Amino acid sequence: MKDITLESLTKVFRKVLKQPDIILTPSTTAADLERWDSLHNMIIMNQLEKEFSIKIEMGEVINLKNVGEIGELIETKIALIIPSLQKLETD
């Protein structure tokens, strides 16, 4: 996962969980953060969709085990969007 992705994830987690001192690593899980419960997880995913202009499906959320997997999912989705945008620019 790229550093910029981890920085953006950290920003979202800090805002949603209202914990400005959170330090995320790729291996951080919900068990590591007191307020990261199922409700906050849905809010986090919603904020990540807005932050990165992507759509995260419920089936994808269920399979995510840690922050690293969230970051990888985001980067994969962005990588799929960029070629589509480049094609639109050339058409």
Side-chain angles (χ1 to χ4, degrees):
M1 173 177 38
K2 297 176 183 173
D3 287 343
I4 189 73
T5 305
L6 186 58
E7 290 171 17
S8 295
L9 285 168
T10 300
K11 182 178 99 175
V12 169
F13 273 73
R14 287 176 176 174
K15 178 182 175 184
V16 171
L17 300 179
K18 296 181 171 82
Q19 294 179 326
D21 57 342
I22 287 176
I23 298 173
L24 298 179
T25 68
S27 62
T28 301
T29 68
D32 299 322
L33 301 175
E34 185 178 326
R35 297 193 61 187
W36 188 5
D37 56 21
S38 58
L39 174 61
H40 283 101
N41 193 58
M42 298 313 300
I43 297 168
I44 288 166
M45 293 303 140
N46 182 266
Q47 289 299 311
L48 292 174
E49 288 179 328
K50 292 177 183 177
E51 177 79 17
F52 291 99
S53 299
I54 59 172
K55 179 72 176 143
I56 301 172
E57 302 297 330
M58 183 63 69
E60 294 169 320
V61 172
I62 292 169
N63 294 320
L64 299 172
K65 294 176 180 61
N66 57 43
V67 169
E69 290 184 10
I70 295 170
E72 290 172 13
L73 176 64
I74 290 168
E75 289 174 356
T76 298
K77 288 184 171 287
I78 291 171
L80 293 172
I81 292 169
I82 291 173
S84 298
L85 293 176
Q86 290 172 338
K87 182 170 175 26
L88 287 174
E89 289 176 359
T90 60
D91 287 346

